[in-house]
Amino acid sequence: MSYAEFLAWMDEDTLAEWVDGEVVMTSPASQRHQLLIGFLEKVLGVFVEQHHLGLVLSAPFQMKMKQGREPDLLFVAQEHLDRLQETYLDGPADLVVEVVSPESLARDRGAKFVEYEAGGVPEYWLLDPLRRWAEFYCLGEDGRYRAAFAGTKGTYHTKALPGCWLRVEWLWQEPLPDVARVTWEIIGVEKLRQLLAELEGQAADQQPTP
């Protein structure tokens, strides 16, 4: 099956990837998996929007390199938005996030790791909520992934999103932290003050004249 045929066959409810010309079905995600991806999509999405950095997308959305994969979460920088097609990204994302499950462990750490590295994905996050372990990889000048951070807690500053950082402990909290509080903690007080001043100015402009 060609990739075009795969895209025509696939619909939004189908969990599948295109590997070596074959359809590979994947298992439904757990609730914890979905909640974690939703948390990251909201937090990173607001940061990206506030700084006009590009676009954050979550599965189901294909990333086509040598294979047609469906990352849990991906970020496409502003300068690479021309890679976006209607139903897939034609080329590497600037950041890919995979949440590891027992079913996906070998694939995420093995085949996908190698493919994302060879395809030029600059940054790859592997998050394992069951083991409460996070790994963050950045592509070196030699085209190989190097571990930028690994552990259960600590602060990671992402290269793909300048100025953005993440407390690893947030990922394991049950329930997950409040998205608004986390987002504004990352964005910073000065940016929040600037936004509040803009909102106050807009409210003043909308006041009816006596």
Side-chain angles (χ1 to χ4, degrees):
M1 180 183 289
S2 70
Y3 190 63
E5 290 170 333
F6 170 75
L7 291 176
W9 165 83
M10 190 175 173
D11 59 35
E12 293 182 357
D13 297 322
T14 303
L15 302 174
E17 295 180 325
W18 183 79
V19 181
D20 296 327
E22 301 287 340
V23 175
V24 177
M25 304 299 293
T26 58
S27 301
S30 68
Q31 182 185 68
R32 178 65 186 177
H33 178 287
Q34 291 298 87
L35 289 173
L36 181 53
I37 287 299
F39 171 76
L40 288 171
E41 182 180 18
K42 291 170 187 173
V43 170
L44 298 182
V46 172
F47 185 91
V48 165
E49 185 178 284
Q50 287 295 316
H51 292 86
H52 310 289
L53 296 177
L55 191 63
V56 174
L57 294 167
S58 63
F61 194 81
Q62 287 273 318
M63 180 176 70
K64 171 65 168 66
M65 297 188 296
K66 181 180 180 182
Q67 318 290 4
R69 292 296 189 179
E70 194 171 82
D72 290 325
L73 194 70
L74 57 83
F75 161 68
V76 185
Q78 194 75 34
E79 59 269 28
H80 298 141
L81 291 179
D82 59 341
R83 297 175 185 172
L84 280 173
Q85 307 300 313
E86 183 64 28
T87 55
Y88 69 101
L89 177 67
D90 189 10
D94 293 272
L95 166 66
V96 167
V97 180
E98 297 283 9
V99 174
V100 176
S101 66
E103 181 272 335
S104 73
L105 180 62
R107 184 170 62 250
D108 292 337
R109 289 185 177 280
K112 285 190 176 184
F113 187 99
V114 173
E115 288 171 27
Y116 295 167
E117 182 183 70
V121 175
E123 192 167 336
Y124 182 32
W125 299 5
L126 269 169
L127 310 178
D128 190 338
L130 290 178
R131 293 176 175 83
R132 298 194 171 196
W133 184 262
E135 297 173 11
F136 303 87
Y137 295 91
C138 291
L139 208 60
E141 293 181 0
D142 60 355
R144 299 280 185 168
Y145 277 139
R146 297 288 182 267
F149 183 99
T152 60
K153 60 183 180 178
T155 302
Y156 174 67
H157 294 261
T158 170
K159 291 184 178 180
L161 303 169
C164 185
W165 54 274
L166 193 72
R167 282 205 184 100
V168 175
E169 301 96 295
W170 287 336
L171 307 175
W172 325 133
Q173 287 186 28
E174 294 185 19
L176 287 162
D178 180 78
V179 169
R181 291 179 66 90
V182 165
T183 301
W184 287 114
E185 186 175 347
I186 294 170
I187 289 176
V189 174
E190 289 305 316
K191 186 72 174 177
L192 179 56
R193 285 174 178 162
Q194 178 185 340
L195 180 60
L196 288 173
E198 291 174 2
L199 292 173
E200 288 171 355
Q202 291 174 7
D205 291 341
Q206 292 170 3
Q207 290 292 327
T209 54

